[in-house]
Amino acid sequence: MLTAVIDLVAEKGYHGVSTKEIAAAAGVNEVTLFRHFGSKQNLLESAFHHFHYAEEMKKLFREKLVGELYDDLLLISRTYHSIMYRNRKMLQIALKESGIFSEFREKANKHPQQLKGMLAEYFNTMYEKGKLIETDTELQALSFMWMNYGAFISNLHSDGASFPSVTMDAFIEQSARTFTRALTP
Amino acid sequence: MLTAVIDLVAEKGYHGVSTKEIAAAAGVNEVTLFRHFGSKQNLLESAFHHFHYAEEMKKLFREKLVGELYDDLLLISRTYHSIMYRNRKMLQIALKESGIFSEFREKANKHPQQLKGMLAEYFNTMYEKGKLIETDTELQALSFMWMNYGAFISNLHSDGASFPSVTMDAFIEQSARTFTRALTP
DNA sequence: CATGCATGCATGTACTCACTTGCATTAAGG
DNA sequence: CCTTAATGCAAGTGAGTACATGCATGCATG
């Protein structure tokens, strides 16, 4: 039921899908859905809270970085896209229903804010090691994040049909090279 | 009526707003809305077709660029964000209802594809002038576009409350500097 | 075997939705 | 002045919505 409501709401929107549809997609009767969750809104919120997307990134910044700009940016970018893709349905819902459930928007905002913070801090330590030019690390972190965010959103719709000639992996490598060349002293 | 339906659908989604609400917001009776457009869907499509967002960019690439990477990227970026902001309601609708009206998604996809093409071509001529390193210009164009796209989408929701410390203008200048340093021989 | 619990099914309720119809009012143009 | 067209208002249509209720069925545990 939880995966059914996530799938359907991500595709058609909260008001675009009925409880009957959700129950049918989950293979249960509509009434058991209400016996479990009480209301349609509660069902969606329950499903939304059963997911998470943050811990893996924190661990990466704590343990996996090697101090080489290109390698680290590549790893961060790859991890970012794999996490975002795994949670793409959730993010689609947060995008579509942010005007209706402000709760979703807040949760979806925390993640990039944390990532920006960790990335800026990483840039700061790299600067202290003499491996980064003097620059506004917060802005550079945001730029790198937004570049990957834009790529992700763009590939979310129509399953990559918008730019068929370009593979995501080639973009990730190229963009890591670009930022490395721009930020290396 | 056209602006009313755009505003409301952008905020609450197509199924989240009723024809009665739209008519009330437009200051007319619900029935005159049906006499003009016949159906709710036709009303939204009519409103959507009364807008455009492409010509200004084409003109910029034809006439305004000076051949200096930083100045040109800055101008492109600023123009991009002003166009996107002016049409943000339309883009929100295309984002939210892409699963329902495939027509909207197609129209919203044409614009970035054209922009990518023009930007890649600009990079090519800059390379021939010896003002750009040897690189995959298509990928670089995509990266620059996606960076600005991600920034735009991020500021679309909650009216900039997600990253209050950073102004859009500072980001634009910094990102243009970053790409200039990365791509200058 | 008996009890309890989860589920399916049919039906019902109160409401909203997109959309229609008939009629009265207004205002502009020949 | 009279016609025509656009609009408002009241009422209604049929479908679909979230959600509730009563009852029968199965299934596991005591």
Side-chain angles (χ1 to χ4, degrees), chain A residues 113 140 162 178 181-182 184, chain B residues 113 140 157 162 178 181-182 184:
Chain A
Q113 269 169 344
Q140 296 289 3
S162 36
T178 298
R181 185 160 200 272
T184 300
Chain B
Q113 270 170 343
Q140 296 289 2
H157 314 292
S162 35
T178 298
R181 186 161 199 273
T184 299

Side-chain angles (χ1 to χ4, degrees), chain A residues 27 35 38 64 104 114 120 124 156 175-176:
Chain A
R35 285 199 264 245
K64 299 262 180 67
F104 292 173
Q114 283 179 349
N124 282 334
L156 201 54
S175 63

Side-chain angles (χ1 to χ4, degrees), chain A residues 11-12 15-16 95-100 105 109 112-113 116 133 135-140 142-151 153-155 157-158 161-168 170-171 174-175 177-185, chain B residues 11-12 15-16 95-100 105 109 112-113 116 133 135-140 142-151 153-155 157-158 161-168 170-171 174-175 177-185:
Chain A
E11 185 189 353
K12 308 203 220 176
H15 292 289
L95 264 175
K96 288 192 183 180
E97 318 298 339
S98 61
I100 308 176
R105 190 183 43 228
N109 273 349
Q113 269 169 344
K116 189 205 89 175
I133 62 169
T135 181
D136 186 327
T137 52
E138 294 234 336
L139 270 181
Q140 296 289 3
L142 255 191
S143 300
F144 191 73
M145 242 189 52
W146 277 342
M147 183 177 63
N148 284 287
Y149 183 57
I153 296 281
S154 206
N155 276 88
H157 314 294
S158 69
S162 36
F163 293 103
S165 61
V166 175
T167 73
M168 206 58 172
F171 156 75
Q174 170 88 307
S175 63
R177 263 198 301 276
T178 298
F179 268 78
T180 302
R181 185 160 200 272
L183 299 181
T184 300
Chain B
E11 186 189 354
K12 308 202 218 178
H15 292 289
L95 263 176
K96 288 191 184 180
E97 318 298 340
S98 61
I100 309 176
R105 189 185 42 227
N109 272 350
Q113 270 170 343
K116 190 206 87 175
I133 61 168
T135 182
D136 186 328
T137 51
E138 293 235 338
L139 270 181
Q140 296 289 2
L142 254 190
S143 300
F144 191 73
M145 242 190 52
W146 276 342
M147 183 177 62
N148 284 287
Y149 183 58
I153 296 281
S154 206
N155 277 88
H157 314 292
S158 69
S162 35
F163 293 103
S165 63
V166 175
T167 72
M168 208 56 174
F171 157 75
Q174 171 88 310
S175 63
R177 263 197 302 276
T178 298
F179 268 78
T180 301
R181 186 161 199 273
L183 299 181
T184 299

Side-chain angles (χ1 to χ4, degrees), chain B residues 3 28 48 51 58 77 82 95-96 103-104 108 135 138 172:
Chain B
T3 65
V28 300
F48 203 84
F51 289 80
K58 282 191 201 161
S77 201
S82 106
L95 263 176
K96 288 191 184 180
E103 176 197 0
F104 292 172
T135 182
E138 293 235 338
I172 291 177

Side-chain angles (χ1 to χ4, degrees), chain B residues 84-102:
Chain B
M84 295 292 272
Y85 185 78
R86 199 187 314 139
N87 296 100
R88 80 202 108 105
K89 297 272 174 64
M90 227 74 41
L91 291 159
Q92 256 179 301
I93 294 178
L95 263 176
K96 288 191 184 180
E97 318 298 340
S98 61
I100 309 176
F101 306 108
S102 58

